[in-house]
Amino acid sequence: MGAVTSLIYASKYPENVVSMVLDSPFSNFNQLIRDLAKSKTGLPTFLFSPILSRIENTIKEKTNCDLFSIDLRKNLGQIKNIACLFLTSKNDQLVPSKQTEELYNLH
């Protein structure tokens, strides 16, 4: 989560950041959760929609924060001039490397 936090900060305050090393940032939180649910259970993602919707609403209620709306692809325009080293692993058990590669390709 540190890489994601760094990307969000840099997109808001690009003048304060020169470069970043980003270890396995996800590109889209909603997709990450769906990918994890599918990979851990083997069940189709549509089965998780009601459960994830309930979790999302509970988080919004308790924290006033919409984690499921985090989409870092939207933030990359603000950090085009910041040098970034994206790190990922094909064997990452949490963040699929395709999400980090997507950010790298967009940067």
Side-chain angles (χ1 to χ4, degrees), residues 14-20 81-84:
E15 67 281 0
N16 295 337
V17 181
V18 176
S19 62
M20 294 186 288
N81 296 323
I82 298 173
C84 295

Side-chain angles (χ1 to χ4, degrees), residues 3-4 7-8 25-28 70-76 103:
V4 172
L7 281 166
I8 293 170
F26 59 80
S27 58
N28 181 284
I70 296 174
D71 188 344
L72 294 172
R73 297 171 296 193
K74 297 174 185 176
N75 299 61
L76 291 178
L103 292 175

Side-chain angles (χ1 to χ4, degrees), residues 38-55:
K38 185 176 181 178
S39 72
K40 300 297 181 191
T41 65
L43 297 172
T45 38
F46 75 87
L47 293 175
F48 298 105
S49 293
I51 297 165
L52 292 176
S53 184
R54 177 79 170 138
I55 292 169

Side-chain angles (χ1 to χ4, degrees), residues 3 16 31 36 57 70 77 80 103:
N16 295 337
Q31 189 61 51
L36 282 171
N57 290 336
I70 296 174
K80 287 285 185 193
L103 292 175

Side-chain angles (χ1 to χ4, degrees), residues 5 9 24 55-57 69 78 82:
T5 303
Y9 177 84
S24 298
I55 292 169
E56 179 180 8
N57 290 336
S69 72
Q78 290 87 0
I82 298 173

